[in-house]
Amino acid sequence: MTLDIQSSFLSWDSSVTPPKLAVQGNWTLANYVALRHDLARFRTAGMDEATLRKAYIEFSSLKALDTAGASQLLELLGTTLTAELSKSSASLSAERRALLQTISDSKSTPTDDTVVVTSSTKEVLAHIGSSVEGIWRQVVALLGFMGLTLEALARAMLRPTGWRITSVVALIQETGLNAVPIIVLLTFMVGAVVAFLGATILADFGASVYTVNLVAFSFLREFAVLLTAILMAGRTASAFTAQIGSMKANEEIDAIRMMGLSPIDLLVLPRVVAMLISMPLLTFVGMISGIAGGAMVCALALDIPPVMFLTLMHQDIELRHFIVGMIKAPLFAYVIAIIGCLEGFKVSGSAQSVGEHTTSAVVQSIFIVIMLDALAALFFMEMGW
């Protein structure tokens, strides 16, 4: 090829060996249209990437270069040649070499437009594996957070003067006192339903009097603590997650750390202590309310007056059933508080993240509470308690 092409931006000289391409002028956004016109004219003349690779390209006459011009230069020379020149061309300044290298790297990212077809079995197995891995990470994070909290609680027990009594009392009112009406209403209604169902079934066997045992046994051992824990998981765990998550989103947690304070001591311990105090008290209230609901149904449907109800319960129901129910209350309280606080610390910063982790806290708390209750029931049954 023995032709010479001249323009304001490119100069091709084929009279020398190797041929010489001089990049000149202002390769900027202001000259974008003119650059496109000159590049089209050069391609029409047969200046493809293979031809340019055999030429000597120099940039000594290049006056200005910006991102728009660099992208046009990349289109002319090709990704490979541009990358080589950005590393080896002596006529380019360091800034321009860096610009060309950046543009070349951005354009050289491989794009695969082919659709990968995977079988449904692989997708299902991959989803199961991902879910199992997520559950394992959640378990590890929960156990680690429990360890941190127990360590902080042990340190706080050795330094009673550092307890935040005001926060604990306020949280007891929020988690305990304010929850009494809903606990009383729910357990009373469930107690009435249990008594009504028991009376209906036991009447077929002439054993309606044992409805008293059914109501007292079920509420002392299971229903009171379980219903209270489920309500606290939906009411309190979500509140803890939303409170700490909002603080995380507003960078208040970072501010606490910058002041040299521990978020565990300042935010988690008062909530854990408040739950450990409130949950047993609410469980006791739930027991009394549930038994009262059952006693009302027995009085109205079975002609068992409250005095006789209490007498039968005193004779047939042992104290150990009450103790079994109360033992589980602190355990459930600790788990609910820990999960609520941990999910709050996981919030990434957006309102959507707060909602997602609040929902996760409720679901996890209810699931773990029911699982622990089932395990405890099996354990106490095997131990004969």
Side-chain angles (χ1 to χ4, degrees), residues 171-194:
L171 288 166
I172 289 175
Q173 178 181 0
E174 178 186 342
T175 61
L177 185 61
N178 294 344
V180 168
I182 186 65
I183 296 293
V184 169
L185 178 62
L186 181 65
T187 52
F188 183 86
M189 295 174 65
V190 173
V193 170
V194 170

Side-chain angles (χ1 to χ4, degrees), residues 278-295:
S278 300
M279 186 76 179
L281 297 177
L282 290 174
T283 300
F284 181 75
V285 170
M287 290 177 179
I288 300 299
S289 179
I291 292 173

Side-chain angles (χ1 to χ4, degrees), residues 3 36 87 107 120 150 263 316 346 356 360 375:
L3 72 159
R36 297 291 297 175
K87 297 177 182 178
K107 296 292 185 180
S120 300
L150 289 175
D316 299 335
K346 288 183 179 179
E356 291 174 352
S360 177
L375 294 175

